[in-house]
Amino acid sequence: MSNQNNTFERVLVGVDDSPDAQLAFRYAMHRCIKDGSTLIITSILEDSDMNVYQALTKDYVHGERKELEEHMQEYRKVALDAGVKNVELMVAEGDPGETIVKDVIPSCDADLLVIGSLSKKGIRKYFGSQAAYMAKYSPISVMIIR
C-alpha cells in the first residue's frame, strides 16, 4: 500500500461548463496545491454535439476544438495563479465517459480522476450518468464531487 497517505501525483479533472464540473475543478486544484501534485485538465468535444452537416465540415470541428482549447487555457491560468505547480491540458473527442476512461487516463498517466456528479448533457439513458460510467470502468481511483 504505497498510497496509504492518500496523496496522488497526477490528478485528472474533467471539465465542462456545468456547476458540478466547476466544483470538481476547484476541489482538484486545491488538492494539487496541498499535495504538490500535477493537475491535468481534460475536456471532451462530444460527437453528439455536431449534426451530420457539421461533422462533415472539418472547419466546424476545427473551430469548435480551437474554442475549447482556448477555454482550457483559462482554466490553466486559474490553476497556475492559485498555486498549482504543474498544469497539463488534454482535449479529446468522443463520448466523454468512454473517452476519459479508454483514452485520456491511459495517455496522461493520471492516478486520480475527479469529476462532478452531473454532466451538462444530462443523463445518458444507456448507463446512467457519465460519472457512474467512469466510476465503474475507470482503471484508477475516482472521486465524484457533489
Side-chain angles (χ1 to χ4, degrees), residues 62-102:
H62 183 73
E64 285 279 284
R65 194 182 174 110
K66 189 167 178 290
E67 209 172 289
L68 187 57
E69 283 167 356
E70 283 165 9
H71 193 40
M72 299 282 284
Q73 292 295 342
E74 294 166 25
Y75 278 106
R76 181 167 190 267
K77 185 181 185 318
V78 169
L80 291 170
D81 289 350
V84 180
K85 295 273 178 284
N86 297 305
V87 182
E88 295 173 16
L89 300 178
M90 200 155 173
V91 174
E93 291 171 35
D95 175 80
E98 213 175 311
T99 303
I100 287 173
V101 166
K102 294 180 177 162

Short mmCIF file of all heavy atoms in Angstrom, two decimals, residues 62-102:
data_model
loop_
_atom_site.label_atom_id
_atom_site.label_comp_id
_atom_site.label_asym_id
_atom_site.label_seq_id
_atom_site.Cartn_x
_atom_site.Cartn_y
_atom_site.Cartn_z
N HIS A 62 -12.78 21.93 -36.35
CA HIS A 62 -11.54 22.62 -36.01
C HIS A 62 -11.86 23.87 -35.18
O HIS A 62 -11.19 24.15 -34.19
CB HIS A 62 -10.78 23.00 -37.28
CG HIS A 62 -9.47 23.65 -36.99
ND1 HIS A 62 -8.40 22.95 -36.51
CD2 HIS A 62 -9.07 24.94 -37.08
CE1 HIS A 62 -7.39 23.77 -36.32
NE2 HIS A 62 -7.76 24.99 -36.66
N GLY A 63 -12.89 24.61 -35.59
CA GLY A 63 -13.29 25.83 -34.87
C GLY A 63 -13.75 25.53 -33.46
O GLY A 63 -13.35 26.19 -32.50
N GLU A 64 -14.57 24.50 -33.33
CA GLU A 64 -15.06 24.09 -32.01
C GLU A 64 -13.89 23.69 -31.11
O GLU A 64 -13.83 24.02 -29.94
CB GLU A 64 -15.97 22.86 -32.15
CG GLU A 64 -17.32 23.16 -32.70
CD GLU A 64 -18.26 23.69 -31.63
OE1 GLU A 64 -18.74 22.91 -30.81
OE2 GLU A 64 -18.48 24.91 -31.62
N ARG A 65 -12.98 22.93 -31.69
CA ARG A 65 -11.83 22.44 -30.92
C ARG A 65 -10.94 23.59 -30.48
O ARG A 65 -10.46 23.64 -29.35
CB ARG A 65 -11.05 21.43 -31.75
CG ARG A 65 -10.07 20.66 -30.91
CD ARG A 65 -9.25 19.68 -31.71
NE ARG A 65 -8.27 19.10 -30.82
CZ ARG A 65 -8.28 17.84 -30.40
NH1 ARG A 65 -9.21 17.02 -30.79
NH2 ARG A 65 -7.34 17.41 -29.57
N LYS A 66 -10.74 24.55 -31.38
CA LYS A 66 -9.91 25.70 -31.08
C LYS A 66 -10.52 26.51 -29.93
O LYS A 66 -9.83 26.94 -29.01
CB LYS A 66 -9.76 26.56 -32.34
CG LYS A 66 -8.75 27.68 -32.21
CD LYS A 66 -8.44 28.27 -33.59
CE LYS A 66 -7.46 29.42 -33.48
NZ LYS A 66 -8.09 30.59 -32.83
N GLU A 67 -11.85 26.67 -30.00
CA GLU A 67 -12.57 27.40 -28.96
C GLU A 67 -12.43 26.69 -27.61
O GLU A 67 -12.18 27.31 -26.58
CB GLU A 67 -14.05 27.44 -29.35
CG GLU A 67 -14.80 28.65 -28.84
CD GLU A 67 -16.19 28.70 -29.46
OE1 GLU A 67 -16.30 28.99 -30.67
OE2 GLU A 67 -17.14 28.40 -28.72
N LEU A 68 -12.56 25.37 -27.64
CA LEU A 68 -12.44 24.57 -26.42
C LEU A 68 -11.01 24.68 -25.87
O LEU A 68 -10.81 24.84 -24.66
CB LEU A 68 -12.79 23.12 -26.72
CG LEU A 68 -12.87 22.16 -25.53
CD1 LEU A 68 -13.89 22.65 -24.50
CD2 LEU A 68 -13.26 20.76 -26.00
N GLU A 69 -10.01 24.63 -26.75
CA GLU A 69 -8.62 24.72 -26.30
C GLU A 69 -8.32 26.08 -25.68
O GLU A 69 -7.60 26.17 -24.69
CB GLU A 69 -7.66 24.41 -27.46
CG GLU A 69 -7.58 22.91 -27.74
CD GLU A 69 -6.91 22.55 -29.05
OE1 GLU A 69 -6.55 23.47 -29.82
OE2 GLU A 69 -6.75 21.34 -29.31
N GLU A 70 -8.92 27.13 -26.25
CA GLU A 70 -8.73 28.47 -25.67
C GLU A 70 -9.38 28.56 -24.29
O GLU A 70 -8.83 29.14 -23.36
CB GLU A 70 -9.31 29.54 -26.61
CG GLU A 70 -8.39 29.82 -27.80
CD GLU A 70 -9.08 30.59 -28.92
OE1 GLU A 70 -10.23 31.08 -28.71
OE2 GLU A 70 -8.48 30.70 -30.01
N HIS A 71 -10.55 27.96 -24.19
CA HIS A 71 -11.28 27.93 -22.92
C HIS A 71 -10.45 27.18 -21.86
O HIS A 71 -10.38 27.58 -20.70
CB HIS A 71 -12.62 27.23 -23.15
CG HIS A 71 -13.59 27.40 -22.02
ND1 HIS A 71 -13.74 28.58 -21.33
CD2 HIS A 71 -14.46 26.53 -21.46
CE1 HIS A 71 -14.66 28.41 -20.39
NE2 HIS A 71 -15.11 27.19 -20.45
N MET A 72 -9.79 26.11 -22.28
CA MET A 72 -8.95 25.32 -21.38
C MET A 72 -7.78 26.14 -20.86
O MET A 72 -7.33 25.96 -19.74
CB MET A 72 -8.43 24.08 -22.11
CG MET A 72 -9.51 23.16 -22.59
SD MET A 72 -10.17 22.16 -21.29
CE MET A 72 -8.85 20.98 -21.14
N GLN A 73 -7.26 27.03 -21.70
CA GLN A 73 -6.16 27.90 -21.27
C GLN A 73 -6.59 28.78 -20.10
O GLN A 73 -5.78 29.10 -19.23
CB GLN A 73 -5.65 28.78 -22.42
CG GLN A 73 -4.96 28.01 -23.54
CD GLN A 73 -3.66 27.33 -23.10
OE1 GLN A 73 -3.07 27.66 -22.07
NE2 GLN A 73 -3.22 26.35 -23.89
N GLU A 74 -7.87 29.16 -20.09
CA GLU A 74 -8.38 29.97 -18.96
C GLU A 74 -8.35 29.15 -17.67
O GLU A 74 -7.95 29.64 -16.62
CB GLU A 74 -9.81 30.44 -19.25
CG GLU A 74 -9.89 31.43 -20.42
CD GLU A 74 -11.33 31.63 -20.91
OE1 GLU A 74 -12.28 31.41 -20.12
OE2 GLU A 74 -11.50 31.99 -22.09
N TYR A 75 -8.78 27.89 -17.76
CA TYR A 75 -8.72 27.01 -16.58
C TYR A 75 -7.27 26.88 -16.12
O TYR A 75 -6.97 26.90 -14.93
CB TYR A 75 -9.24 25.61 -16.93
CG TYR A 75 -10.75 25.46 -16.89
CD1 TYR A 75 -11.49 25.37 -18.05
CD2 TYR A 75 -11.42 25.38 -15.67
CE1 TYR A 75 -12.88 25.20 -18.01
CE2 TYR A 75 -12.80 25.21 -15.62
CZ TYR A 75 -13.52 25.13 -16.79
OH TYR A 75 -14.88 24.96 -16.75
N ARG A 76 -6.37 26.71 -17.08
CA ARG A 76 -4.95 26.53 -16.76
C ARG A 76 -4.41 27.75 -16.00
O ARG A 76 -3.71 27.62 -15.00
CB ARG A 76 -4.18 26.33 -18.07
CG ARG A 76 -2.71 26.10 -17.87
CD ARG A 76 -2.07 25.59 -19.16
NE ARG A 76 -0.73 25.16 -18.86
CZ ARG A 76 0.32 25.96 -18.98
NH1 ARG A 76 0.18 27.20 -19.41
NH2 ARG A 76 1.52 25.52 -18.67
N LYS A 77 -4.78 28.94 -16.48
CA LYS A 77 -4.31 30.17 -15.86
C LYS A 77 -4.84 30.28 -14.42
O LYS A 77 -4.10 30.64 -13.50
CB LYS A 77 -4.75 31.37 -16.69
CG LYS A 77 -4.19 32.70 -16.19
CD LYS A 77 -4.69 33.87 -17.03
CE LYS A 77 -4.05 35.18 -16.62
NZ LYS A 77 -3.94 35.39 -15.15
N VAL A 78 -6.11 29.96 -14.23
CA VAL A 78 -6.71 30.00 -12.89
C VAL A 78 -5.93 29.08 -11.94
O VAL A 78 -5.58 29.47 -10.82
CB VAL A 78 -8.20 29.57 -12.94
CG1 VAL A 78 -8.75 29.33 -11.53
CG2 VAL A 78 -9.03 30.64 -13.64
N ALA A 79 -5.63 27.87 -12.42
CA ALA A 79 -4.92 26.90 -11.59
C ALA A 79 -3.50 27.36 -11.25
O ALA A 79 -3.07 27.29 -10.10
CB ALA A 79 -4.89 25.53 -12.28
N LEU A 80 -2.79 27.86 -12.25
CA LEU A 80 -1.42 28.34 -12.01
C LEU A 80 -1.42 29.55 -11.07
O LEU A 80 -0.60 29.63 -10.16
CB LEU A 80 -0.74 28.69 -13.34
CG LEU A 80 -0.40 27.51 -14.26
CD1 LEU A 80 0.03 27.99 -15.63
CD2 LEU A 80 0.68 26.61 -13.64
N ASP A 81 -2.36 30.48 -11.30
CA ASP A 81 -2.45 31.66 -10.43
C ASP A 81 -2.78 31.26 -8.99
O ASP A 81 -2.36 31.92 -8.05
CB ASP A 81 -3.53 32.64 -10.95
CG ASP A 81 -3.10 33.33 -12.23
OD1 ASP A 81 -1.91 33.21 -12.61
OD2 ASP A 81 -3.95 33.99 -12.86
N ALA A 82 -3.53 30.17 -8.83
CA ALA A 82 -3.92 29.72 -7.49
C ALA A 82 -2.76 29.02 -6.78
O ALA A 82 -2.79 28.83 -5.57
CB ALA A 82 -5.12 28.79 -7.58
N GLY A 83 -1.74 28.62 -7.55
CA GLY A 83 -0.58 27.99 -6.93
C GLY A 83 -0.32 26.54 -7.31
O GLY A 83 0.52 25.88 -6.70
N VAL A 84 -1.04 26.02 -8.30
CA VAL A 84 -0.73 24.66 -8.77
C VAL A 84 0.60 24.75 -9.53
O VAL A 84 0.79 25.64 -10.35
CB VAL A 84 -1.84 24.12 -9.71
CG1 VAL A 84 -1.49 22.71 -10.19
CG2 VAL A 84 -3.19 24.11 -9.01
N LYS A 85 1.53 23.84 -9.21
CA LYS A 85 2.87 23.92 -9.81
C LYS A 85 2.87 23.52 -11.28
O LYS A 85 3.47 24.17 -12.12
CB LYS A 85 3.85 23.02 -9.05
CG LYS A 85 4.10 23.46 -7.61
CD LYS A 85 5.23 24.48 -7.54
CE LYS A 85 5.46 24.97 -6.12
NZ LYS A 85 4.44 25.93 -5.65
N ASN A 86 2.26 22.37 -11.58
CA ASN A 86 2.24 21.88 -12.97
C ASN A 86 0.82 21.66 -13.42
O ASN A 86 0.04 21.01 -12.73
CB ASN A 86 2.98 20.54 -13.07
CG ASN A 86 4.43 20.68 -12.69
OD1 ASN A 86 5.14 21.51 -13.26
ND2 ASN A 86 4.87 19.90 -11.73
N VAL A 87 0.51 22.21 -14.60
CA VAL A 87 -0.82 22.02 -15.16
C VAL A 87 -0.68 21.53 -16.59
O VAL A 87 0.06 22.11 -17.39
CB VAL A 87 -1.63 23.34 -15.17
CG1 VAL A 87 -3.03 23.10 -15.72
CG2 VAL A 87 -1.71 23.94 -13.77
N GLU A 88 -1.36 20.43 -16.90
CA GLU A 88 -1.36 19.90 -18.26
C GLU A 88 -2.79 19.96 -18.79
O GLU A 88 -3.74 19.89 -18.02
CB GLU A 88 -0.85 18.46 -18.28
CG GLU A 88 0.60 18.35 -17.85
CD GLU A 88 1.06 16.90 -17.70
OE1 GLU A 88 0.37 15.99 -18.22
OE2 GLU A 88 2.10 16.69 -17.07
N LEU A 89 -2.92 20.10 -20.09
CA LEU A 89 -4.24 20.16 -20.70
C LEU A 89 -4.39 19.02 -21.69
O LEU A 89 -3.44 18.63 -22.36
CB LEU A 89 -4.42 21.48 -21.47
CG LEU A 89 -4.31 22.77 -20.67
CD1 LEU A 89 -4.47 23.97 -21.60
CD2 LEU A 89 -5.35 22.82 -19.56
N MET A 90 -5.60 18.50 -21.78
CA MET A 90 -5.85 17.44 -22.73
C MET A 90 -7.25 17.56 -23.30
O MET A 90 -8.23 17.50 -22.55
CB MET A 90 -5.69 16.10 -22.02
CG MET A 90 -5.46 15.02 -23.00
SD MET A 90 -4.58 13.67 -22.21
CE MET A 90 -4.70 12.54 -23.58
N VAL A 91 -7.33 17.78 -24.61
CA VAL A 91 -8.63 17.83 -25.28
C VAL A 91 -8.76 16.57 -26.12
O VAL A 91 -7.84 16.18 -26.82
CB VAL A 91 -8.73 19.08 -26.19
CG1 VAL A 91 -10.02 19.05 -27.00
CG2 VAL A 91 -8.67 20.35 -25.36
N ALA A 92 -9.90 15.89 -25.99
CA ALA A 92 -10.13 14.69 -26.79
C ALA A 92 -11.53 14.79 -27.38
O ALA A 92 -12.30 15.67 -27.03
CB ALA A 92 -9.98 13.45 -25.92
N GLU A 93 -11.82 13.88 -28.29
CA GLU A 93 -13.12 13.90 -28.95
C GLU A 93 -13.81 12.57 -28.77
O GLU A 93 -13.18 11.52 -28.83
CB GLU A 93 -12.95 14.19 -30.45
CG GLU A 93 -12.48 15.60 -30.72
CD GLU A 93 -12.10 15.82 -32.19
OE1 GLU A 93 -12.74 15.22 -33.06
OE2 GLU A 93 -11.15 16.60 -32.44
N GLY A 94 -15.14 12.62 -28.56
CA GLY A 94 -15.91 11.38 -28.45
C GLY A 94 -16.94 11.47 -27.35
O GLY A 94 -17.33 12.55 -26.92
N ASP A 95 -17.36 10.31 -26.87
CA ASP A 95 -18.29 10.25 -25.76
C ASP A 95 -17.47 10.49 -24.49
O ASP A 95 -16.48 9.80 -24.26
CB ASP A 95 -18.93 8.86 -25.71
CG ASP A 95 -19.82 8.69 -24.50
OD1 ASP A 95 -20.95 9.18 -24.55
OD2 ASP A 95 -19.35 8.11 -23.50
N PRO A 96 -17.85 11.48 -23.66
CA PRO A 96 -16.99 11.86 -22.52
C PRO A 96 -16.58 10.71 -21.60
O PRO A 96 -15.39 10.51 -21.35
CB PRO A 96 -17.82 12.89 -21.77
CG PRO A 96 -18.73 13.45 -22.80
CD PRO A 96 -19.04 12.33 -23.74
N GLY A 97 -17.55 9.96 -21.08
CA GLY A 97 -17.21 8.90 -20.14
C GLY A 97 -16.25 7.89 -20.73
O GLY A 97 -15.20 7.58 -20.17
N GLU A 98 -16.61 7.42 -21.90
CA GLU A 98 -15.81 6.39 -22.56
C GLU A 98 -14.43 6.92 -22.97
O GLU A 98 -13.41 6.25 -22.79
CB GLU A 98 -16.56 5.95 -23.81
CG GLU A 98 -16.35 4.51 -24.16
CD GLU A 98 -17.22 4.10 -25.34
OE1 GLU A 98 -18.44 4.39 -25.32
OE2 GLU A 98 -16.66 3.52 -26.28
N THR A 99 -14.40 8.14 -23.49
CA THR A 99 -13.14 8.72 -23.95
C THR A 99 -12.17 8.95 -22.79
O THR A 99 -10.98 8.66 -22.88
CB THR A 99 -13.41 10.05 -24.70
OG1 THR A 99 -14.31 9.78 -25.77
CG2 THR A 99 -12.14 10.65 -25.26
N ILE A 100 -12.70 9.43 -21.67
CA ILE A 100 -11.84 9.66 -20.50
C ILE A 100 -11.28 8.33 -19.98
O ILE A 100 -10.09 8.21 -19.72
CB ILE A 100 -12.60 10.44 -19.41
CG1 ILE A 100 -12.75 11.91 -19.85
CG2 ILE A 100 -11.89 10.36 -18.05
CD1 ILE A 100 -13.62 12.77 -18.95
N VAL A 101 -12.14 7.31 -19.88
CA VAL A 101 -11.71 6.01 -19.37
C VAL A 101 -10.73 5.31 -20.31
O VAL A 101 -9.70 4.79 -19.89
CB VAL A 101 -12.95 5.11 -19.10
CG1 VAL A 101 -12.54 3.66 -18.88
CG2 VAL A 101 -13.72 5.64 -17.89
N LYS A 102 -11.06 5.30 -21.61
CA LYS A 102 -10.26 4.49 -22.55
C LYS A 102 -9.07 5.21 -23.16
O LYS A 102 -8.09 4.58 -23.53
CB LYS A 102 -11.16 3.98 -23.67
CG LYS A 102 -12.20 3.00 -23.15
CD LYS A 102 -13.09 2.48 -24.26
CE LYS A 102 -14.07 1.45 -23.71
NZ LYS A 102 -15.22 1.23 -24.61
#
